[in-house]
């Protein structure tokens, strides 16, 4: 077959009979068509473009047969193939093609041509076309010309972002933060359920259809220009505007469960057609596959179903439309819906369909993914496919880890551009292979606005703690959190490190010291942390002159494992919270009376680091727990599930927003003291009514209450109970003196708690930063940290003590109950491991139900040969004396 053939297309007129000769009156155009691309719809498109005919075709096409010169009508691809074979047989490369409008009925009689003429003559057909056939064809054509209207309603899914509440405070405030964290988690669960319902929602009704089958038509003005490109002249754009409004396409609102393939559906690319096939196959449970895919021959794609099923779908490139068009369709199926396997349901497809849910729920369990796929597509998938879909979704959301960490350089450059005075320190590890790039190791961040605010209005008190990151790469986030004038958290600096060890904490404390410009070893500073060994060593080495307090909650958790009981618990916290040594010694004496071992273990914990009576008074802070750091960890709990850049951005936005919110809220309050401090002062005033004041001088007073007598010095700002010295807020004794002098207790509050001091902390801000596409281009390849595969399933939650968070709230746990044996009544074992069972011949008899009868005699048992046991009762002396119990009345 020839590569190309020439077709002389006659259009714009009709076949007319004149002087026993039929000729075509109209215009002609010579076109060249490749044989491989020759098809019925290809010729229809050429006719529509050349003669401005409407779609669906409202005309007939005839060609002149080479062998006998008769006219043959083209109705399908078979006729086109026959025309191509006739051209090949006669070695002719020019075909006369005539277009006759269906509105002009004609009758062509068979009459051979004798001589050529200047006007194109129609060669008479050997088989005349009858009027009945013509009318039937016209009726079919008219039925195909139904008007198709499109009315698309785009539904936008709005996902409300759940905002984290401010989780800050001490003791009571810490409890409030825990409740707020639970509330946030509940809201997250509700939002994720709503999002899941949205993803599982059935597809909408078909918006547009070709005979209620094709999805729609769109005008070329509303299209992207991929399917149709208008010509530059009127000759190129000869179809007119009427036909531009009728281009079939598939939209996002297609109801694939009701969709039916028809010839003529167009796609801008091969991938678009493949995606439509995938959506159709998964939605209808058909195990379709790509049988043939040839990019050279018009990009042909052949789709078939399972073996034995007649379903066929063929799509190829349409040169006239510059798009891919469905050209062969067989919608019949004899197979059943497949629920166990569908080769089109890939991990990438699942990731795309549930991408919003994967974004809001990074740790979506595999079982829930399987249930979601089963509910939406009626297909059962395995755990492995669910995990692959989860990994594919994370790659789409965050990219590959190497690409993600290679953006750290650009991210830090963008931060440095908007925060030139801030501290950003990136540490990388050299590669093992010299040909590869460096590996991410550590990153320290402290914003200048936060640093200035801390130094301007916060006390020199910092809580230190680390929390693990919830990605598969692991790592830890170390943080230093201060306290503002309202006794709320003030995050100062944080760092991403490989783990919580001596080296990482020492590096973090050095970075913190450099950032705060401390050169005297931390004199006048106070740190509060748990008993993490690496942290204890780092503070002692870098901040050697600073006061280091240990968290009393962590100490009690370890101490309580051995020494249990409510009485010991009460005396423990009595000793820890004692403000003066006298009260502390009294509590220790009481503890020794209860348990010498418990008191000895308490004293071994170095009470000077966690009891209030030994704390320094210069910081005006009596806190002995690290709740501020724990509160910050809960504040960023959602961000810790993301990879490093997204996590750091979420933290930056949270802190940036918090600074301006706290400043605005305090400006609206007409107060002198901060609200939390005013509440504490009011509480002390209520208790001051029980005190009597006896002046010793102008500034020194003796105060007596129902418990004790103390001395108050207004010049030195001290009280014998040490509460005023340590906290900076007046105790009940000072409030009583203030009332005696006719002054307000607020006058004796340390200035660090004033509203003006609070506003100084929040007067600085963090500048905003644009998105990734505006970052400077910094080429710095960086490998992610190595994955540490620990044995077992990765843990998402920290280990909790049994008494800390019971699994069944509202039910008392058995924590603290000592195991006892029912045989020997011993402790720390049960009857299964009782050593007395093997030593004695007596065995414990299981007690029967009900109240046991009182023993009224001695029983003797005899065993007969049959195995039956007979028992005889012999009364004892005591029984004989009490025989009147068994006598009837009157005897």
């Amino acid at each position: 077959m020839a590569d190309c053939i020439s077709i002389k297309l006659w259009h714009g007129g009709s076949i007319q009979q004149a002087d026993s000769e039929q000729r075509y009156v109209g215009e002609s155009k010579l076109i060249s068509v490749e044989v491989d691309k020759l098809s019925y719809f290809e010729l229809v498109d050429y006719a529509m473009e050349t003669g401005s005919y409407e779609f669906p075709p409202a005309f007939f096409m005839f060609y002149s047969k080479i062998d006998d010169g008769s006219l043959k009508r083209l109705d399908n691809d078979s006729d086109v193939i026959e025309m191509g074979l006739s051209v090949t047989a006669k070695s002719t490369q020019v075909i006369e093609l005539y277009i006759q409008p269906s509105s002009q009925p004609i009758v062509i009689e068979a009459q051979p041509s004798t001589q050529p003429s200047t006007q194109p003559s129609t060669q008479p057909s050997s088989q005349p076309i009858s009027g009945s056939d013509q009318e039937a064809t016209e009726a079919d054509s008219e039925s195909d010309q139904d008007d198709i209207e499109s009315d698309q309603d785009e539904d936008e899914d709005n996902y409300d972002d759940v905002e984290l509440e401010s989780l800050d405070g001490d003791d009571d405030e810490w409890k409030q933060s825990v409740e707020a964290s639970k509330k946030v988690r509940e809201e997250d669960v509700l939002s994720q359920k709503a999002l899941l319902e949205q993803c599982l929602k059935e597809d909408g009704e078909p918006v547009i259809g070709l005979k209620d089958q094709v999805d729609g038509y769109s005008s070329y003005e509303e299209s992207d220009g991929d399917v149709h490109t208008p010509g530059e002249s009127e000759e190129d754009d000869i179809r007119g505007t009427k036909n531009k409004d009728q281009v079939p396409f598939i939209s996002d609102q297609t109801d694939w469960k009701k969709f039916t393939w028809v010839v003529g559906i167009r796609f801008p690319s091969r991938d678009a057609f493949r995606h439509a096939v995938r959506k159709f196959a998964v939605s209808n449970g058909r195990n379709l596959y790509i049988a043939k895919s040839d990019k050279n021959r018009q990009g042909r794609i052949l789709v078939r179903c399972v073996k034995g099923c007649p379903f066929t779908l063929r799509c190829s490139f349409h040169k006239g439309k510059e798009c891919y068009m469905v050209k062969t369709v067989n919608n019949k199926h004899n197979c059943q819906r497949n629920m166990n396997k569908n080769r089109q349901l890939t991990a990438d497809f699942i990731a795309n369909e549930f991408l919003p849910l994967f974004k809001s729920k990074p740790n979506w369990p595999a079982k829930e993914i399987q249930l979601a796929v089963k509910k939406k597509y009626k297909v059962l998938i395995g755990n492995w496919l669910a995990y692959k879909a989860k990994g594919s979704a994370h790659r789409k959301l965050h990219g590959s880890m190497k690409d993600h960490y290679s953006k750290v350089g650009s991210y830090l450059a963008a931060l440095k551009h908007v925060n030139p005075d801030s501290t950003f320190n990136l540490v990388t590890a050299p590669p093992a292979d010299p040909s590869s790039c460096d590996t991410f190791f550590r990153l320290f961040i402290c914003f200048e606005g936060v640093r200035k605010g801390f130094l301007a209005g916060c006390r020199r008190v910092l809580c230190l703690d680390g929390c693990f990151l919830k990605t598969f790469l692991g790592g830890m986030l170390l943080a230093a959190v201060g306290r503002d004038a309202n006794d709320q958290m003030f995050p100062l600096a944080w760092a991403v490190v490989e783990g919580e060890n001596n080296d990482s904490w020492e590096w973090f404390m050095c970075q913190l010291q450099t950032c705060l410009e401390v050169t005297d070893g931390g004199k006048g500073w106070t740190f509060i942390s748990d008993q993490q060994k690496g942290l204890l060593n780092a503070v002692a080495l870098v901040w050697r002159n600073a006061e280091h307090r240990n968290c009393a909650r962590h100490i009690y958790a370890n101490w309580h494992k051995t020494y249990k009981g409510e009485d010991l618990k009460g005396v423990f916290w009595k000793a820890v919270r004692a403000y003066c040594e006298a009260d502390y010694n009294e509590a220790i004496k009481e503890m020794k009376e209860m348990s010498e071992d418990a008191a000895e273990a308490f004293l071994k914990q170095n009470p000077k680091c966690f009891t209030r009576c030994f704390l320094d008074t210069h910081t005006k802070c009596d806190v002995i727990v690290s709740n501020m750091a724990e509160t910050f960890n809960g504040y960023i709990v959602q961000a810790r599930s993301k990879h490093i850049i997204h996590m750091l951005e979420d933290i930056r936005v949270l802190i940036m927003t918090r600074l301006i919110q706290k400043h605005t809220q305090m400006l609206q309050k007409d107060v002198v003291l901060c609200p939390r401090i005013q509440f504490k002062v009011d509480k002390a005033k209520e208790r001051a009514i029980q005190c009597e004041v006896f002046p010793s001088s102008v500034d020194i007073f003796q105060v007596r209450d129902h418990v004790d007598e103390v001395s108050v010095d207004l010049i030195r700002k001290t009280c014998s109970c040490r509460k005023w010295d340590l906290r900076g807020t007046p105790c009940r004794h000072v409030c009583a003196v203030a009332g005696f002098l006719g002054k307000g207790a607020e006058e004796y509050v340390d200035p660090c708690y004033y509203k003006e001091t609070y506003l100084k902390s929040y007067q600085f801000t963090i500048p905003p930063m644009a998105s990734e596409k505006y970052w400077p281009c910094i080429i710095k390849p960086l490998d992610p940290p190595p994955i540490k595969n620990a044995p077992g399933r990765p843990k998402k939650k920290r280990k909790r003590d049994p008494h800390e968070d019971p699994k069944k709230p509202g039910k008392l746990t058995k924590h603290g109950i000592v195991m006892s044996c029912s045989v020997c009544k011993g402790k720390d074992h049960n009857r299964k491991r009782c050593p007395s069972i093997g030593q004695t011949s007596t065995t414990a008899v299981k007690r029967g139900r009900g109240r046991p009868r009182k023993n009224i005699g001695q029983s003797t048992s005899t065993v007969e040969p049959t195995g039956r046991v007979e028992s005889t009762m012999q009364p004892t002396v005591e029984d004989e004396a009490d025989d009147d119990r068994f006598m009837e009345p009157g005897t």
Side-chain angles (χ1 to χ4, degrees):
M1 183 178 290
D3 294 336
C4 295
I5 59 175
S6 298
I7 298 179
K8 194 170 186 180
L9 188 62
W10 293 91
H11 63 90
S14 60
I15 302 175
Q16 298 181 2
Q17 185 82 21
D19 300 334
S20 301
E21 182 179 357
Q22 295 174 343
R23 65 179 60 187
Y24 192 91
V25 179
E27 301 177 358
S28 65
K29 181 179 180 181
L30 188 64
I31 58 176
S32 179
V33 182
E34 296 181 11
V35 177
D36 290 342
K37 296 183 178 180
L38 190 62
S39 65
Y40 173 76
F41 288 99
E42 186 83 11
L43 297 178
V44 169
D45 288 337
Y46 280 126
M48 292 170 58
E49 293 175 357
T50 307
S52 299
Y53 297 102
E54 295 182 358
F55 183 87
F59 55 86
F60 305 125
M61 292 187 297
F62 302 90
Y63 77 95
S64 178
K65 299 180 66 175
I66 303 298
D67 50 359
D68 56 0
S70 61
L71 292 182
K72 174 66 175 177
R73 186 172 134 187
L74 298 177
D75 291 330
N76 47 45
D77 283 341
S78 300
D79 297 337
V80 176
I81 294 174
E82 182 181 350
M83 180 183 68
L85 294 176
S86 64
V87 172
T88 306
K90 297 297 181 179
S91 300
T92 303
Q93 294 185 345
V94 178
I95 300 178
E96 299 281 346
L97 189 63
Y98 311 102
I99 301 176
Q100 176 70 21
S102 58
S103 59
Q104 300 179 7
I106 60 170
V107 178
I108 304 178
E109 298 178 355
Q111 183 178 356
S113 175
T114 56
Q115 59 181 2
S117 62
T118 56
Q119 291 290 339
S121 61
T122 58
Q123 305 295 336
S125 174
S126 58
Q127 297 292 335
I129 302 178
S130 62
S132 60
D133 294 339
Q134 179 72 22
E135 293 174 359
T137 307
E138 292 177 8
D140 293 340
S141 178
E142 291 175 0
S143 65
D144 291 339
Q145 294 182 11
D146 297 334
D147 295 334
I148 304 172
E149 299 178 356
S150 64
D151 184 15
Q152 292 184 337
D153 298 328
E154 298 181 356
D155 298 331
E156 297 181 357
D157 300 331
N158 298 323
Y159 306 108
D160 297 332
D161 296 330
V162 181
E163 297 182 357
L164 292 173
E165 297 183 5
S166 179
L167 309 178
D168 42 14
D170 181 15
D171 293 336
D172 295 339
E173 184 185 11
W174 179 74
K175 296 177 182 179
Q176 295 174 4
S177 70
V178 174
E179 296 297 329
S181 299
K182 293 180 180 179
K183 183 179 179 181
V184 168
R185 285 194 291 269
E186 293 175 358
E187 292 177 353
D188 288 342
V189 171
L190 294 177
S191 63
Q192 290 168 2
K193 287 183 179 179
L195 191 58
L196 178 60
E197 293 177 358
Q198 182 69 23
C199 293
L200 297 180
K201 186 179 65 175
E202 299 291 338
D203 295 332
E205 295 295 329
V207 225
I208 299 171
L210 176 60
K211 289 186 178 180
D212 297 331
Q213 293 176 350
V214 183
D215 284 274
Y217 294 93
S218 173
S219 62
Y220 114 141
E221 290 84 0
E222 297 178 355
S223 67
D224 295 332
D226 295 334
V227 178
H228 286 287
T229 303
E232 297 180 355
S233 63
E234 295 182 357
E235 296 180 358
D236 295 334
D237 191 12
I238 58 177
R239 290 185 54 191
T241 58
K242 185 176 182 180
N243 296 289
K244 292 179 183 178
D245 296 334
Q246 300 176 349
V247 179
F249 76 104
I250 290 179
S251 69
D252 295 335
Q253 304 297 328
T254 302
D255 187 359
W256 293 101
K257 294 185 178 180
K258 300 180 181 179
F259 179 81
T260 304
W261 292 96
V262 296
V263 175
I265 302 179
R266 306 175 186 180
F267 300 92
S269 63
R270 289 164 54 91
D271 293 338
F273 173 73
R274 286 174 175 267
H275 181 70
V277 171
R278 190 180 304 276
K279 293 278 290 185
F280 173 80
V282 174
S283 300
N284 293 274
R286 304 297 181 180
N287 199 5
L288 304 183
Y289 68 98
I290 306 297
K292 292 182 181 180
S293 179
D294 191 351
K295 293 184 179 181
N296 296 328
R297 301 184 62 186
Q298 299 176 276
R300 294 181 179 181
I301 303 177
L302 179 62
V303 180
R304 295 188 181 278
C305 196
V306 296
K307 185 177 181 180
C309 183
F311 179 85
T312 304
L313 182 64
R314 184 174 67 87
C315 178
S316 62
F317 185 75
H318 195 287
K319 186 176 180 181
K321 303 299 181 185
E322 296 297 327
C323 66
Y324 285 84
M325 180 182 292
V326 176
K327 297 183 178 180
T328 303
V329 174
N330 185 357
N331 283 308
K332 295 182 180 180
H333 284 276
N334 59 10
C335 59
Q336 301 298 327
R337 184 184 185 96
N338 192 344
M339 295 186 62
N340 296 324
K341 183 179 179 181
N342 194 318
R343 65 185 72 190
Q344 298 297 332
L345 186 64
T346 61
D348 189 69
F349 178 82
I350 298 174
N352 286 328
E353 292 299 309
F354 296 95
L355 197 60
L357 198 57
F358 280 111
K359 184 177 181 180
S360 65
K361 199 174 183 180
N363 299 318
W364 198 14
K367 291 184 179 180
E368 295 185 10
I369 299 175
Q370 292 173 307
L371 292 176
V373 174
K374 176 183 176 182
K375 185 175 181 180
K376 185 171 185 178
Y377 297 113
K378 311 298 186 298
V379 180
L380 305 177
I381 65 173
N383 289 334
W384 184 243
L385 183 57
Y387 285 123
K388 290 178 66 178
K390 186 175 180 180
S392 177
H394 286 190
R395 286 191 296 271
K396 292 178 182 295
L397 292 172
H398 309 295
S400 67
M401 286 298 96
K402 185 175 179 62
D403 295 340
H404 182 82
Y405 276 83
S406 296
K407 298 176 184 177
V408 172
S410 299
Y411 174 69
L412 294 179
L415 283 178
K416 199 70 176 177
H417 178 70
V418 296
N419 302 271
D421 298 328
S422 300
T423 304
F424 309 110
N425 191 3
L426 173 65
V427 179
T428 59
D433 186 5
S435 60
S436 60
C437 56
D438 293 345
T439 303
F440 177 87
F441 191 53
R442 294 167 182 166
L443 176 61
F444 178 86
I445 292 180
C446 180
F447 290 97
E448 180 67 11
V450 177
R451 187 186 70 85
K452 289 183 178 180
F454 175 81
L455 296 176
C458 295
R459 288 157 286 170
R460 302 301 187 261
V461 180
L462 287 174
C463 291
L464 305 175
D465 195 14
C467 57
F468 61 89
L469 304 181
K470 299 183 180 182
T471 64
F472 63 91
L473 292 175
M476 298 288 293
L477 181 72
L478 309 183
V481 184
R483 304 176 72 90
D484 58 18
N486 197 30
D487 267 348
Q488 293 178 308
M489 72 169 183
F490 192 92
L492 175 61
W494 49 91
V496 180
V497 297
E498 75 284 0
E500 202 171 3
N501 49 53
N502 288 339
D503 294 338
S504 61
W505 272 117
E506 183 179 347
W507 173 82
F508 179 78
M509 299 306 294
C510 290
Q511 296 295 323
L512 189 63
Q513 188 181 56
T514 305
C515 178
L516 296 175
E517 299 178 355
V518 176
T519 58
D520 56 354
K523 186 176 181 180
W525 288 78
T526 298
F527 293 98
I528 308 173
S529 67
D530 55 12
Q531 289 183 307
Q532 213 280 334
K533 188 174 181 180
L535 184 53
L536 295 175
N537 297 334
V539 174
L541 181 63
V542 182
W543 297 74
R544 57 186 181 277
N545 296 328
E547 179 190 17
H548 192 184
R549 305 177 186 176
N550 293 333
C551 180
R553 291 183 185 274
H554 290 80
I555 295 175
Y556 172 75
N558 296 328
W559 182 81
H560 182 63
K561 292 178 181 179
T562 306
Y563 308 102
K564 302 176 175 63
E566 292 297 323
D567 294 339
L568 286 176
K569 176 183 178 181
V571 75
F572 175 91
W573 288 108
K574 181 179 179 181
V576 167
R577 293 170 177 168
Y579 283 89
C580 61
E581 291 191 32
D583 295 338
Y584 168 77
N585 294 330
E586 183 181 348
I588 294 298
K589 182 179 178 181
E590 186 179 350
M591 186 184 298
K592 287 181 179 180
E593 293 176 356
M594 295 181 182
S595 174
E596 288 284 347
D597 296 338
E600 184 178 354
F602 180 88
L603 296 175
K604 285 183 179 180
Q605 297 291 336
N606 190 9
K608 293 185 178 180
C609 295
F610 64 94
T611 54
R612 286 174 174 169
C613 64
F614 298 109
L615 301 181
D616 293 337
T617 60
H618 60 274
T619 55
K620 302 304 176 185
C621 179
D622 64 344
V623 177
I624 51 176
V625 291
S626 59
N627 287 345
M628 284 301 167
E630 299 289 348
T631 303
F632 177 71
N633 295 340
Y635 188 65
I636 62 171
V637 65
Q638 299 292 334
R640 287 158 51 195
S641 299
K642 303 179 181 180
H643 293 296
I644 179 168
I645 295 180
H646 305 288
M647 178 191 69
L648 295 177
E649 265 300 280
D650 285 358
I651 296 176
R652 184 189 67 84
V653 173
L654 285 173
I655 303 301
M656 177 184 68
T657 308
R658 190 174 188 274
L659 291 176
I660 187 62
Q661 286 179 348
K662 293 296 182 181
H663 187 268
T664 305
Q665 292 173 3
M666 187 58 71
L667 280 178
Q668 296 174 355
K669 298 181 182 296
D670 187 13
V671 294
V672 177
L673 299 179
C674 294
R676 292 174 183 262
I677 309 305
Q678 185 66 55
F679 175 78
K680 294 180 181 180
V681 174
D682 294 341
K683 201 171 182 181
K685 288 181 180 180
E686 295 176 0
R687 302 180 63 184
I689 196 64
Q690 304 173 357
C691 300
E692 295 182 62
V693 180
F694 303 95
S696 174
S697 65
V698 179
D699 301 317
I700 300 176
F701 301 86
Q702 180 178 342
V703 182
R704 178 189 302 169
D705 60 11
H706 65 284
V707 178
D708 200 0
E709 293 186 8
V710 298
S711 175
V712 176
D713 190 340
L714 299 181
I715 298 298
R716 299 173 58 187
K717 296 184 178 180
T718 60
C719 180
S720 300
C721 69
R722 290 188 78 247
K723 290 184 180 180
W724 189 25
D725 312 38
L726 190 60
R727 296 187 305 187
T729 58
C731 59
R732 64 178 184 271
H733 310 114
V734 178
C735 291
V737 172
F740 178 81
L741 297 175
K743 298 181 180 180
E746 288 79 8
E747 298 181 16
Y748 300 98
V749 177
D750 194 271
C752 65
Y753 296 111
Y754 287 179
K755 172 185 175 181
E756 297 178 358
T757 307
Y758 183 92
L759 294 177
K760 291 179 181 179
S761 301
Y762 294 95
Q763 64 179 335
F764 304 98
T765 60
I766 299 177
M769 191 177 69
S771 61
E772 181 181 343
K773 68 178 182 179
Y774 300 104
W775 296 352
C777 183
I778 304 297
I779 302 176
K780 187 175 183 178
L782 200 64
D783 284 335
I787 301 176
K788 300 177 182 179
N789 293 325
R793 183 181 294 276
K795 294 179 176 59
K796 297 295 183 182
K797 297 182 179 180
R798 66 180 179 90
K799 294 181 180 179
R800 298 179 181 269
D801 290 333
H803 69 280
E804 182 181 359
D805 188 15
K807 295 182 180 179
K808 297 181 179 180
K811 183 179 179 181
L812 183 64
T813 63
K814 292 186 177 182
H815 178 72
I817 298 178
V818 181
M819 183 185 301
S820 61
C821 179
S822 61
V823 178
C824 66
K825 308 304 179 182
K827 303 296 183 181
D828 298 330
H829 70 275
N830 55 13
R831 61 178 299 173
K832 293 183 179 179
R833 296 176 176 83
C834 182
S836 302
I837 294 180
Q839 298 176 1
T840 62
S841 59
T842 60
T843 58
V845 180
K846 185 177 181 181
R847 177 182 173 183
R849 298 182 60 185
R851 182 178 180 181
R853 292 187 60 184
K854 191 172 183 180
N855 189 13
I856 60 174
Q858 298 176 351
S859 63
T860 58
S861 301
T862 59
V863 182
E864 296 184 353
T866 58
R868 183 170 57 88
V869 179
E870 291 186 355
S871 177
T872 60
M873 186 68 67
Q874 298 178 359
T876 62
V877 178
E878 291 80 3
D879 295 337
E880 293 178 355
D882 295 335
D883 279 346
D884 55 3
R885 291 176 301 170
F886 305 98
M887 298 175 63
E888 296 182 0
T891 59

